[in-house]
Amino acid sequence: MQFSAPAAGSVLKPAEIEGHLLVVEPTEYIESMPTQRGDSDAVRCTVHDITTSTTHPEVLWFSTVLVGSLRSRIGAKVLGVMGRGVAKPGQTAPWVLNDASTNPEAVKAAQDYLGGQAATPAADELAAALSLLGAKPA
């Protein structure tokens, strides 16, 4: 009989990756997970940060808008740039993934990273993709 070690989760706050091109692979939607602030919905995902060429496994995100946009995408790859949405009166702006799936440079950079065709996406391709999306390079 073989045993596996527990998965090591990653702590990845949206503020740390604001403006970064990401491929997010949601693996699980968790309804009503107990937290220090009470029960909250969450999504567990693998986040490939194309901007920094880093992969973060087992990330848990609780942001309502992020959870809402990813819960129907379990098993898919979502290409986007982490950004801020529009704040409701008296609240902070929510974290959102801005769609990058129709940007050819962003798609190519993500494909190159995920396919292992390059250790890092070409700097000019990534800069062009981020510029067209109004994002900032790391």
Side-chain angles (χ1 to χ4, degrees):
M1 178 181 293
Q2 292 188 16
F3 297 95
S4 296
S10 293
V11 176
L12 184 62
K13 296 178 182 176
E16 297 170 353
I17 54 173
E18 184 174 7
H20 290 206
L21 180 63
L22 309 171
V23 174
V24 180
E25 296 183 72
T27 56
E28 180 183 12
Y29 167 67
I30 305 164
E31 188 174 350
S32 193
M33 180 178 199
T35 71
Q36 291 178 342
R37 297 179 182 169
D39 289 357
S40 180
D41 292 354
V43 67
R44 184 183 317 274
C45 49
T46 298
V47 179
H48 303 280
D49 186 336
I50 307 306
T51 302
T52 62
S53 299
T54 308
T55 295
H56 304 272
E58 300 290 321
V59 172
L60 276 176
W61 277 338
F62 295 91
S63 173
T64 304
V65 175
L66 284 176
V67 171
S69 69
L70 294 171
R71 72 185 272 185
S72 65
R73 300 291 188 252
I74 302 300
K77 289 179 175 63
V78 178
L79 183 62
V81 174
M82 183 62 73
R84 294 291 229 165
V86 178
K88 292 181 181 178
Q91 296 183 1
T92 59
W95 292 107
V96 297
L97 276 176
N98 295 306
D99 182 22
S101 65
T102 59
N103 178 295
E105 292 87 0
V107 170
K108 181 165 183 358
Q111 288 172 334
D112 287 350
Y113 178 77
L114 293 177
Q117 296 173 3
T120 59
D124 56 340
E125 289 174 5
L126 183 55
L130 290 172
S131 173
L132 287 171
L133 293 165
K136 57 186 175 196

